[in-house]
Amino acid sequence: MKLSFLSYLKQNHYADLDLKAVLFDMDGVLYDSMPAHASSWHDTMVEFGYHTTDHIKFYLHEGRLGKSTINIITEKEFNRKATEKEQQKIYARKTELFQQYYSGGTMPKAKEVLTFVQANGLKPILVTGSGQPSLLDRLDTHFPGVFTPKTMVTAFDVEHGKPDPEPYLMGLQKGGNLKPNQAIVIENAPLGIESAVGAGIFTIAVNTGPLPDSVLTNAGASAVFGSMEALLETMPEILQLSQTIRI
Ligand code: MG
């Protein structure tokens, strides 16, 4: 971890970290929802007559706004942009199937990671590309008192979703106009990592899906953990380094 922090500071021209907040992605980090997302995307696209769909592809699109994913897949398959009506119909169906497929499970130890962050005086901020209206209710049920609308960035807040840096830049703003070296990001998806690294933030990947670690490293992650459990075990070291490391 130490070398990762040092190389982050050097690359981004900071002398130290002044950690105030931890920015969390949602799907695949706090919720074990990615298999249901991938299956609902796959089945929706098949229903709408798309052929070049396979599950792994949707893990690579993870984090994008729904309309962007639909546009990219339509362009690849039919050589044109999706109409606004198509975007709406496809995303509505995808959301409907997701609700059928997803049992609502959280990622093991996600709650404990959030508790650790709060207990150490750091602010947890949510940065998701998701645009489900019931999001806040669900978060409040599973992680009571952790997130409020003031500490959440969702699909409704941004013009450009991940991999654009906008969502994570807005997360820094919502954290209290923080500088990039005042936060760290926990992400599971390559496009989310790209977004966070683009915003200049130290980014830790938790590889909870089927992609190889190298995809997350190549996207710019400074460290990769195999699970939220593994991250939780290392959180004390991460916190300690963030308070002491200097160049
Ligand atoms: Mg994710």
Side-chain angles (χ1 to χ4, degrees):
M1 282 309 299
K2 193 173 177 184
L3 288 176
S4 309
F5 274 114
L6 285 172
S7 91
Y8 164 81
L9 291 174
K10 262 184 215 151
Q11 260 172 27
N12 292 275
H13 310 289
Y14 292 116
D16 57 14
L17 285 175
D18 175 23
L19 197 59
K20 305 276 188 227
V22 181
L23 277 47
F24 288 90
D25 171 51
M26 185 177 73
D27 291 295
V29 170
L30 301 180
Y31 286 107
D32 189 9
S33 47
M34 275 313 296
H37 275 297
S39 300
S40 53
W41 269 120
H42 171 269
D43 294 359
T44 301
M45 299 320 267
V46 169
E47 266 182 35
F48 278 82
Y50 291 73
H51 302 289
T52 53
T53 58
D54 65 77
H55 280 69
I56 206 89
K57 183 184 284 179
F58 297 109
Y59 284 90
L60 292 168
H61 280 296
E62 185 192 346
R64 258 192 232 292
L65 299 178
K67 62 179 182 184
S68 307
T69 300
I70 294 163
N71 257 338
I72 290 170
I73 295 176
T74 305
E75 263 175 5
K76 273 203 185 125
E77 184 141 353
F78 300 118
N79 234 346
R80 62 169 180 85
K81 275 202 157 38
T83 64
E84 208 156 297
K85 204 167 182 185
E86 280 174 319
Q87 288 174 9
Q88 281 167 7
K89 278 174 86 173
I90 293 172
Y91 195 62
R93 179 61 175 153
K94 189 263 161 192
T95 304
E96 186 181 26
L97 285 181
F98 174 74
Q99 273 155 7
Q100 284 175 30
Y101 296 168
Y102 178 48
S103 60
T106 57
M107 206 50 92
K109 300 294 180 207
K111 197 171 184 176
E112 286 81 353
V113 172
L114 291 169
T115 304
F116 180 89
V117 164
Q118 285 186 306
N120 285 281
L122 302 173
K123 195 185 270 190
I125 309 275
L126 188 85
V127 181
T128 178
S130 180
Q132 299 165 72
S134 62
L135 202 67
L136 190 56
D137 287 348
R138 206 170 57 148
L139 282 163
D140 228 26
T141 306
H142 294 109
F143 310 108
V146 178
F147 302 109
T148 69
K150 282 188 179 165
T151 59
M152 285 172 60
V153 178
T154 73
F156 303 112
D157 299 307
V158 297
E159 197 180 322
H160 309 287
K162 301 169 184 179
D164 192 276
E166 185 190 6
Y168 279 106
L169 290 172
M170 196 174 282
L172 291 175
Q173 255 176 37
K174 289 205 169 190
N177 288 321
L178 301 176
K179 297 193 185 82
N181 69 329
Q182 293 183 301
I184 56 176
V185 167
I186 314 294
E187 258 288 352
N188 72 308
L191 297 180
I193 293 165
E194 243 177 79
S195 166
V197 170
I201 311 170
F202 185 83
T203 304
I204 295 173
V206 180
N207 192 3
T208 58
L211 301 174
D213 283 359
S214 59
V215 174
L216 306 181
T217 310
N218 292 341
S222 287
V224 182
F225 291 91
S227 64
M228 287 297 270
E229 284 104 317
L231 174 67
L232 180 65
E233 277 170 28
T234 315
M235 280 307 284
E237 185 193 341
I238 291 169
L239 188 69
Q240 202 250 342
L241 281 168
S242 77
Q243 288 164 341
T244 53
I245 207 153
R246 303 190 59 83
I247 47 171

